[in-house]
Amino acid sequence: MTTAEWADVDRYIVDTLVQDEETAAALAANAAAELPAIDVSPPQGKFLYLLARTARVRRVLEIGTLGGYSTIWLARAVGEKGQVVTLEFEPKHAEVARGNLDSAGVGDRVEIRVGAALDTLPVLAGESPDPFDLVFIDADKVNNPNYVQWALRLTRPGSVIIVDNIVRNGGLADATSDDPAITASRAVLELLAAEPTLDATVLQTVGNKGWDGFAYAVVNGDPTD
Ligand code: SAM
């Protein structure tokens, strides 16, 4: 199969199952503001939403907001009483995201913190927030191992940690690669494998964003403790 065929299938899935006015408007606003089109794909956005609903997630930490496309899906899933904290480096991205979240009717349950995540995460942790039920990591890929470590500190048994863009066009399997994003992906897998408090896998994906995939980890332990 070719990338064009994957994109055709993606389009059909979006048209039949995924598309709605608010998320389409967010993507249009991102394009109008000339943000890079590096949001999760619509089927993956809806998958995050369904997953969060299935796990009855109420508190989400997102690292990497862009224009808030994935944030809208996650904010819908947590419901009116839930909360999403999303971390973004670029003030312009955060501003576009704020507009999109408000237009989508979920702005009241989303806090955007602007700055480098490795600076804002210690501040967040210092506030001793209630544990997050789901952490979605989708920012600068080279820091993914650091973000997984922070996610571990901010979650509880049963929480889910997802790291996006791990497969990188198959580069994940290349032990000789000197691409820093691939090296970081491999470091994430090694960390997930070595960390006794996490149980994890990786799912590969294809579609209009090409060939990629995400790591999916659950924090071990009794969620009722
Ligand atoms: N999750 C978004 C979505 O699917 O709609 C896409 C996020 S995009 C792949 C990555 C975002 O991370 C960009 O907006 C970028 O500015 C931001 N970013 C890059 N480095 C960062 C850092 N050190 N701290 C926080 N955000 C960062």
Side-chain angles (χ1 to χ4, degrees), residues 38-40 64-66 69-70 88-90 93 117 138-140 147:
I38 51 173
D39 346 64
V40 294
T65 318
L66 190 65
Y69 180 73
S70 52
E88 172 54 50
F89 179 69
E90 293 287 348
H93 295 183
D138 188 20
D140 51 328
Y147 296 148

Side-chain angles (χ1 to χ4, degrees), residues 27 30 35-41 45 48 62-72 74 86-91 93-94 113-120 136-141 143 147 164-165:
L27 291 180
N30 289 355
L35 265 52
I38 51 173
D39 346 64
V40 294
S41 72
L48 289 171
E62 178 180 60
I63 306 176
T65 318
L66 190 65
Y69 180 73
S70 52
T71 326
I72 291 174
L74 291 164
T86 182
L87 311 181
E88 172 54 50
F89 179 69
E90 293 287 348
H93 295 183
R113 295 193 177 200
V114 180
L118 288 182
D119 294 333
T120 52
F136 180 53
I137 299 172
D138 188 20
D140 51 328
K141 307 305 168 183
N143 276 316
Y147 296 148
D164 204 16
N165 307 121

